[in-house]
């Protein structure tokens, strides 16, 4: 899978994506992250890429020509172009899953006050935000998008199973994880995890996943979509705050 990132700061995108798990994915040829420096396509003496906004106001706006020339000069197979933007659809695990099926993804990073609207109108096919707040540039957002998508590309994480149980992947947050030692400063790993009893471990993990989600992100619980097994587990979890939350969630449908 190829990511083509159009940016004024290629070094920022590379620093945030070319290390650890993603670097291994690059080394094994599963993913490729290419950066295209928009400034290289500035067709003027001073390599200027931004200018004052028409109509006045604070900050600088990225000029259309360097961006459009950079995109036109690239030999990307797909014409789709994702613009990282606070106005976009907020990135979710579902979107990351869908994007991980593509062969190539083109990403445009704005900077300063953003980009000339004519770029968005003529080239951009999707706008994606990483949350309802404003960053100084799209580079961090692009790195977030690349990271969330690239780790879903088969083989990048080493084991495809690792993504199945994860938070946001199957509708529930992940159960608590432990590693050695089994006792640390008086805190013990739950017995069931040391038991080697796979069925009990699976049940415990499912209960914990449901518990975590109801307590920490009740907004994610889709009561009407619970399976019979899940419903039974929830009804069994009857400690104080959880019962209250569950009752109010149930009341919501
Ligand atoms: N003036 C713009 C914000 C510009 S921020 C507005 O009010 O909408 C500069 C650039 O940072 C944007 O062009 C975009 O590429 C990036 N950016 C800022 N916040 C972002 C977010 N939440 N998600 C994705 N990209 C973002």
């Amino acid at each position: 899978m190829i990511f083509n990132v159009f940016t004024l700061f290629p070094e920022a995108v590379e620093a945030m994506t070319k290390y650890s798990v993603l670097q291994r994915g690059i080394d094994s040829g599963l993913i490729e992250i290419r950066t295209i420096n928009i400034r290289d396509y500035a067709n003027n003496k001073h390599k200027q890429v931004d200018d004052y906004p028409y109509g006045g106001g604070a900050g600088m706006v990225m000029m259309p020509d360097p961006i459009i020339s950079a995109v036109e000069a690239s030999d990307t197979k797909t014409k789709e172009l994702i613009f990282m933007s606070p106005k976009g659809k907020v990135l979710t695990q579902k979107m990351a899953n869908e994007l991980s099926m593509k062969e190539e993804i083109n990403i445009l990073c704005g900077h300063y006050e953003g980009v000339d609207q004519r770029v968005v109108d003529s080239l951009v096919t999707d706008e994606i935000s990483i949350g309802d707040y404003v960053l100084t540039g799209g580079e961090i957002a692009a790195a977030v998008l690349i990271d969330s998508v690239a780790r879903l590309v088969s083989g990048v994480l080493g084991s495809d199973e690792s993504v199945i149980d994860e938070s946001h992947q199957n509708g529930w947050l992940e159960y608590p994880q432990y590693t050695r030692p089994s006792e640390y400063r008086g805190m013990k790993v739950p017995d069931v995890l040391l038991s080697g009893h796979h069925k009990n471990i699976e049940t415990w993990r499912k209960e914990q996943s449901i518990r975590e989600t109801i307590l920490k992100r009740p907004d994610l619980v889709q009561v009407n979509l619970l399976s019979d097994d899940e419903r039974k587990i929830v009804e069994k979890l009857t400690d104080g705050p959880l019962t209250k939350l569950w009752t109010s969630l149930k009341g919501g449908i």
Side-chain angles (χ1 to χ4, degrees), residues 179-240:
T179 185
R180 284 192 287 185
S182 60
E183 184 170 347
Y184 177 69
R185 297 193 178 185
M187 295 177 282
K188 287 186 177 157
V189 172
D191 285 339
V192 58
L193 296 179
L194 310 176
S195 68
H197 194 299
H198 295 297
K199 186 88 195 72
N200 288 355
I201 293 175
E202 205 185 300
T203 309
W204 182 85
R205 285 183 162 166
K206 186 83 203 182
E207 282 172 12
Q208 293 294 319
S209 269
I210 292 178
R211 218 188 130 75
E212 292 276 286
T213 314
I214 295 178
L215 282 174
K216 294 183 180 168
R217 291 291 305 276
D219 56 304
L220 294 179
V221 184
Q222 292 182 282
V223 178
N224 48 345
L225 295 185
L226 294 190
S227 69
D228 286 347
D229 278 355
E230 288 169 340
R231 195 169 276 276
K232 267 189 217 135
I233 292 175
V234 182
E235 302 287 359
K236 230 178 76 189
L237 299 170
T238 50
D239 49 357

Side-chain angles (χ1 to χ4, degrees), residues 83-86 110-114 128-131 133-138 141:
F83 177 40
M84 302 314 303
S85 159
H111 217 90
Y112 314 115
E113 277 308 310
I128 297 183
S129 164
I130 61 161
Y133 41 79
V134 181
L135 305 164
T136 55

Side-chain angles (χ1 to χ4, degrees), residues 128-161:
I128 297 183
S129 164
I130 61 161
D132 292 341
Y133 41 79
V134 181
L135 305 164
T136 55
E139 287 72 20
I140 296 174
V144 169
L145 178 68
I146 294 170
D147 196 296
S148 65
V149 172
R151 70 195 292 284
L152 296 171
V153 171
S154 187
V156 169
L157 281 184
S159 145
D160 279 350
E161 270 181 29

Side-chain angles (χ1 to χ4, degrees), residues 4 9 17 26 29 32 34 50 60 63 65 76-77 85 88 90 109 121 145 147-148 176 187 197 209 228 233 238:
N4 299 300
F9 300 96
T17 53
I26 294 169
E32 198 179 321
R34 301 179 183 157
D50 57 346
M60 302 294 272
M63 296 152 70
D65 188 61
T76 60
K77 273 183 251 138
S85 159
V90 177
C109 304
D121 293 344
L145 178 68
D147 196 296
S148 65
M187 295 177 282
H197 194 299
S209 269
D228 286 347
I233 292 175
T238 50

Side-chain angles (χ1 to χ4, degrees), residues 36-81:
I36 298 98
N37 192 337
I38 293 168
R39 198 175 294 278
D40 292 343
Y41 295 86
N43 195 12
N44 55 63
K45 238 192 8 238
H46 300 291
K47 295 264 170 211
Q48 186 186 349
V49 290
D50 57 346
D51 213 328
Y52 295 100
Y54 275 120
M60 302 294 272
V61 175
M62 285 170 69
M63 296 152 70
D65 188 61
I67 301 174
I68 292 180
S69 299
V71 173
E72 282 176 352
S74 66
D75 59 353
T76 60
K77 273 183 251 138
T78 168
K79 292 287 158 245
E80 288 173 22
L81 180 64

